[in-house]
Amino acid sequence: MMLLHGYVPNNFGLRIVVPILKDKNGDQTSIDNYRPVTLSPTISKIFESVLLMNYGNYLYSDHRQFGFKKTMGCRNAIFAVRNVTNYFNERGSNIFMASLDASTAFDRVNHFKLYTSLMIRNVTTAFLNVVINWYSKMNVIVRWNNSLSAMLRIKSGVRQGGVLSPYLFNVYADVFIKNIVTKNVRCHIGHTCMACMIYADDIAYC
């Protein structure tokens, strides 16, 4: 029924954030000494798993993205960067590289651009409507001991702890890879552009 009507319950969008102390011997009054952990309804995660099974084929990402993929990890990204560097150095070429760690990238995802990226992939109307409805209901409450904060509206970012969130982030980040690759500049090995490699929100550009 949720897919039929493109609607999820309001509680699906509500998140409870619990600040967890990182270092008990550190400054307990410093916000930097706390790690936010998000609690979401279990039923919503089950529904996300169902969506992933049925629509996961739309949530592919470029092979230059190494994050959030089965059998892939940080070691694969490092291996690729090293081999590209060695390839050009062994042939007498210098290689210049810039690295970027996009700060709080997951919290800065523009929802409208995310929807646009999904539409470009011709995702089904049912899936798109569910995502739009879900993300229009994103609210957060902070729990501190037995006290709850006022509800805050979330207008950007992917849902922390969501089953679909890593896949949606990769769809969103794919745009940056394509913008670089389609310019057909920078490092190539054969006919393959190796100008950028991404692990989640860490980007290496050469």
Side-chain angles (χ1 to χ4, degrees):
M1 291 297 290
M2 286 188 284
L3 281 171
L4 179 63
H5 296 287
Y7 174 90
V8 299
N10 292 339
N11 284 343
F12 274 29
L14 179 62
R15 298 179 296 173
I16 299 176
V17 174
V18 180
I20 303 298
L21 188 65
K22 295 179 182 178
D23 182 4
K24 293 181 179 180
N25 298 319
D27 183 2
Q28 297 188 20
T29 64
S30 173
I31 192 173
D32 295 327
N33 196 26
Y34 288 86
R35 178 183 295 106
V37 174
T38 301
L39 307 178
S40 302
T42 301
I43 188 65
S44 70
K45 293 185 178 181
I46 295 174
F47 181 58
E48 282 187 280
S49 297
V50 173
L51 290 176
L52 185 59
M53 284 192 299
N54 286 280
Y55 303 104
N57 58 310
Y58 292 104
L59 305 179
Y60 58 86
S61 57
D62 193 278
H63 66 273
R64 300 168 188 85
Q65 169 63 272
F66 293 87
F68 308 124
K69 292 181 176 179
K70 291 181 180 179
T71 72
M72 303 293 284
C74 188
R75 291 182 179 180
N76 302 92
I78 293 172
F79 178 81
V81 171
R82 284 181 174 174
N83 275 272
V84 170
T85 303
N86 292 338
Y87 177 87
F88 287 98
N89 286 341
E90 290 170 359
R91 288 159 177 75
S93 297
N94 293 323
I95 183 169
F96 300 92
M97 184 175 298
S99 60
L100 172 66
D101 180 3
S103 178
T104 61
F106 305 101
D107 296 327
R108 296 175 183 269
V109 170
N110 182 290
H111 290 169
F112 178 77
K113 291 186 178 179
L114 173 61
Y115 305 151
T116 302
S117 296
L118 290 171
M119 286 188 284
I120 291 173
R121 294 170 181 236
N122 294 317
V123 300
T124 64
T125 303
F127 178 73
L128 181 62
N129 286 342
V130 164
V131 172
I132 292 175
N133 182 260
W134 202 329
Y135 273 70
S136 71
K137 297 177 176 179
M138 284 177 57
N139 295 290
V140 64
I141 293 175
V142 178
R143 188 176 76 191
W144 181 261
N145 295 324
N146 295 321
S147 300
L148 297 175
S149 73
M151 187 180 297
L152 303 174
R153 176 82 171 86
I154 305 298
K155 298 181 179 180
S156 65
V158 291
R159 299 171 55 252
Q160 187 185 96
V163 175
L164 286 174
S165 297
Y167 298 90
L168 294 176
F169 179 81
N170 277 358
V171 168
Y172 182 79
D174 241 28
V175 175
F176 303 107
I177 300 176
K178 289 180 180 178
N179 283 341
I180 293 173
V181 171
T182 54
K183 294 184 185 298
N184 202 32
V185 296
R186 303 297 177 184
C187 295
H188 280 72
I189 296 180
H191 296 290
T192 303
C193 177
M194 303 297 293
C196 69
M197 280 155 281
I198 300 182
Y199 179 76
D201 58 342
D202 296 312
I203 304 171
Y205 177 55
C206 52

